[in-house]
Amino acid sequence: MENILELAEQARRKAEKVIGETQVESIWRSVGAEPHRVGSLAMGLLMRHRDIDLHIYSEPFRIADSFAAMAKLAECPGIGHIEYTNLLSTEEACIEWHASYKAQDGEIWQIDMIHIVKGSRYDGYFEEMARRIRAALTPETRLAILALKQATPDTEHIAGIEYYEAVLRDGVRSYADFLEWRKIHPVTGISDWMP
């Protein structure tokens, strides 16, 4: 199990290096926005899935600022693809950006940047979720989550919240039990579970 903890620490260090290489946080700050880390990196639960999640806020919210940030990010060597989705007219009230980045070590990372309208439904929501999950973790449950993530084949796409809910709320510990749990608790849309 020490190996799993070391793999998680390696993943965290690599994510920090990607953030530094791309300057993604300072790019958003340069357009007057405030980036917040959310997801598995923020919770200390990053494992095999190379993904960095940022929620970004600016006041006032301007689409032009979002595009200005992406123009700067696109200049970064290693950024190979940027995808844009405008969800401002939905309940999510955001612009989604997804960038792929080839790190200096050759690994491909996804950087998910959600530019959210302040005061909208999800303003601060996932930051609170990350805070509450971090607070609920024990060394044993953290290890259980990391072990489940490590056991997941690369071909499976599983939302992080599924692991956290299964382990923290329902006591799941084995990958076989986790697969059964998923059949009973399918995720449709955005999960509203928090510990």
Side-chain angles (χ1 to χ4, degrees), residues 99-185:
S100 75
Y101 173 70
K102 185 174 184 178
Q104 292 174 2
D105 64 5
E107 290 184 337
I108 304 296
W109 285 76
Q110 180 167 314
I111 306 172
D112 297 325
M113 299 156 283
I114 313 302
H115 193 182
I116 301 171
V117 174
K118 280 195 173 197
S120 65
R121 176 171 182 196
Y122 292 108
D123 177 356
Y125 180 85
F126 291 96
E127 291 87 340
E128 177 65 9
M129 177 184 284
R131 187 193 68 72
R132 287 172 61 173
I133 289 171
R134 269 194 321 268
L137 287 172
T138 65
E140 189 269 333
T141 55
R142 179 172 184 258
L143 191 59
I145 290 166
L146 293 173
L148 290 175
K149 286 185 170 188
Q150 182 65 13
T152 302
D154 290 336
T155 53
E156 284 288 322
H157 178 73
I158 298 175
I161 193 68
E162 295 180 78
Y163 298 104
Y164 315 146
E165 185 176 356
V167 170
L168 295 173
R169 187 189 73 188
D170 295 332
V172 171
R173 294 297 184 267
S174 76
Y175 191 69
D177 288 345
F178 179 58
L179 293 178
E180 287 303 311
W181 182 92
R182 289 188 76 220
K183 290 177 187 174
I184 300 166
H185 304 90

Side-chain angles (χ1 to χ4, degrees), residues 4-16 18-19 38-53 109-110 137 142 145-147 149-150 164:
I4 286 176
L5 294 175
E6 178 53 34
L7 290 172
E9 176 56 21
Q10 287 173 16
R12 186 199 63 77
R13 284 194 306 263
K14 287 180 180 182
E16 293 291 346
V18 168
I19 290 168
V38 294
S40 58
L41 178 58
M43 292 180 254
L45 296 170
L46 188 62
M47 197 63 190
R48 290 173 51 192
H49 186 60
R50 292 183 293 275
D51 166 358
I52 295 167
D53 296 302
W109 285 76
Q110 180 167 314
L137 287 172
R142 179 172 184 258
I145 290 166
L146 293 173
K149 286 185 170 188
Q150 182 65 13
Y164 315 146

